Amino acid sequence: MKIAIIGPGLMEIPPKNWGAVESLIWDYSESLKQKNIEVDIINNSNLNAVANYLNSTNYDFIHVQYDDHAGPLSKLLNKPFCSTAHYGYIKENHSNYGGWDHIYQGFLKSPGIISLSPEITQLIKKSGYSGFIKTLRNGARTKDFKYSTIPTREALCLGKIEPRKRQADLSNICENKCMVDFVGPIIDNRFKENNTCKYGGIWSKPELYNNLTNYKCLILLSDGEAAPLVIPEALSAGLSLVVSETAAANLDRTLPFIHVLPNGCLNEFAITVIQKAILDNNKYRADIRKYAVDHFDWSVICDEYLDIVEEFINENRVSNNSNQQIH
């Protein structure tokens, strides 16, 4: 089987440091190749060039992994494809962000959609989409993450420090109450360190794989997320989770190491939940790691992905045969 994955064309793949979609595309490609699937990454923002190449090349499956490209490619490509949306506010009422409503309407013209969570799938169907749609969560290179049974630090907030992820607010409420390290590029100039909340710089990929397991708890209290990659990564390293409702996609909320707070919950109750997650982590750490390997390892994700790919190919083959019989 031969698959083409279409990237944004905004930075190199794999990315040197930060670039969630680019990292995801690379992980898909490398994991599928381990299953003897031929994969090409087409990472070019010139969509006319992308379409001309794809229209003249025989791929079994084309996957557009960038929201903005789906609408234009639905007009330029003469063959079926699936798209995935990664927009952080897709589940929220934030259509004014970056002209999202226009992008979303174009995205809905995709012949097929692979959605990142059941909630996003439901939203897309409510928007009137009646085409091929399946749900598949993001994965992690679970075995690449160092795993320690004796973490030395308490809580971590990992990701670009920006208003959407609420790190500035989290730092304020945690002052003198929780030890939290913040790692990632600083975009939000409201973010300040204090006695118990410290900035840890920007990690490289090797540092991510090595350092994550030093912590007991990951905190992600964003007010907008699709299916954040940092969640399965943290689980792979044995961390408990304290996440907002919007960041809790695809998680089993019955598990004692997963704590989901309402969006916007940055108060004393949140502090209590974070403290409990830190305190209880050691007794659940092995179970956390197993949960990650069983549910989020790329080998598991890619098996499910290939089932979706086969179903999409077969559905389009049947449709093409029916159209030929009509004509």
Side-chain angles (χ1 to χ4, degrees):
M1 181 182 290
K2 190 174 181 180
I3 294 175
I5 302 179
I6 315 305
L10 303 176
M11 67 174 69
E12 62 188 338
I13 298 176
K16 289 183 178 178
N17 286 310
W18 297 85
V21 174
E22 289 79 7
S23 293
L24 175 81
I25 290 171
W26 181 251
D27 287 346
Y28 255 117
S29 174
E30 293 299 289
S31 301
L32 288 167
K33 287 176 182 177
Q34 290 179 8
K35 295 182 180 293
N36 298 316
I37 304 298
E38 187 176 348
V39 182
D40 289 336
I41 297 172
I42 317 299
N43 189 39
N44 187 346
S45 60
N46 183 337
L47 296 186
N48 285 310
V50 170
N52 288 338
Y53 172 74
L54 292 173
N55 285 334
S56 62
T57 312
N58 291 320
Y59 285 98
D60 298 293
F61 182 68
I62 298 170
H63 190 174
V64 179
Q65 287 272 15
Y66 190 51
D67 325 41
D68 300 51
H69 292 351
L73 286 176
S74 68
K75 299 175 183 178
L76 295 169
L77 285 178
N78 59 19
K79 53 187 66 178
F81 64 90
C82 281
S83 298
T84 296
H86 298 275
Y87 180 55
Y89 280 120
I90 188 170
K91 294 178 291 188
E92 319 303 329
N93 185 22
H94 289 275
S95 61
N96 59 321
Y97 278 76
W100 169 247
D101 188 61
H102 174 73
I103 294 170
Y104 183 59
Q105 293 307 313
F107 173 77
L108 293 177
K109 293 180 171 60
S110 302
I113 290 174
I114 300 177
S115 158
L116 293 176
S117 74
E119 295 84 2
I120 295 175
T121 297
Q122 185 178 21
L123 169 71
I124 291 170
K125 288 181 177 178
K126 282 185 177 179
S127 299
Y129 185 80
S130 59
F132 178 94
I133 184 167
K134 297 293 178 181
T135 305
L136 184 60
R137 62 206 176 278
N138 284 331
R141 296 178 176 231
T142 61
K143 297 177 180 63
D144 287 353
F145 284 88
K146 181 180 177 182
Y147 171 70
S148 171
T149 57
I150 309 174
T152 56
R153 302 191 69 80
E154 294 193 354
L156 174 68
C157 192
L158 176 64
K160 186 184 296 183
I161 296 173
E162 58 183 335
R164 176 169 63 90
K165 295 184 184 293
R166 307 292 297 273
Q167 291 100 328
D169 301 318
L170 178 63
S171 176
N172 287 337
I173 68 163
C174 287
E175 185 172 7
N176 297 323
K177 297 172 184 175
C178 296
M179 301 288 293
V180 185
D181 290 346
F182 294 80
V183 172
I186 299 177
I187 308 300
D188 186 355
N189 58 16
R190 298 179 306 127
F191 172 77
K192 299 292 186 293
E193 293 183 288
N194 55 54
N195 289 336
T196 58
C197 297
K198 301 299 180 182
Y199 179 59
I202 300 173
W203 287 351
S204 65
K205 275 292 183 181
E207 287 174 321
L208 173 69
Y209 292 138
N210 189 67
N211 295 348
L212 199 49
T213 196
N214 296 333
Y215 292 86
K216 298 179 181 179
C217 171
L218 177 85
I219 306 171
L220 184 60
L221 299 179
S222 309
D223 60 14
E225 294 283 354
L229 291 176
V230 70
I231 296 295
E233 291 175 343
L235 292 168
S236 301
L239 280 69
S240 299
L241 301 178
V242 178
V243 299
S244 59
E245 179 69 35
T246 192
N250 306 307
L251 293 174
D252 183 349
R253 302 177 185 211
T254 68
L255 296 173
F257 48 81
I258 293 174
H259 307 270
V260 181
L261 298 176
N263 289 347
C265 182
L266 286 136
N267 52 29
E268 288 300 320
F269 176 69
I271 295 296
T272 301
V273 173
I274 292 168
Q275 291 170 339
K276 176 174 174 54
I278 292 169
L279 183 66
D280 291 347
N281 175 253
N282 282 345
K283 64 182 176 182
Y284 298 125
R285 206 161 173 87
D287 293 334
I288 296 170
R289 169 74 172 179
K290 185 177 186 307
Y291 174 62
V293 172
D294 290 348
H295 293 275
F296 294 102
D297 188 79
W298 276 116
S299 64
V300 176
I301 301 298
C302 283
D303 282 342
E304 297 181 31
Y305 180 77
L306 290 173
D307 288 341
I308 292 171
V309 169
E310 289 284 359
E311 186 173 347
F312 183 73
I313 292 171
N314 290 336
E315 187 170 300
N316 279 279
R317 185 181 294 125
V318 170
S319 177
N320 289 338
N321 289 340
S322 298
N323 290 335
Q324 289 172 4
Q325 290 174 6
I326 291 172
H327 294 297

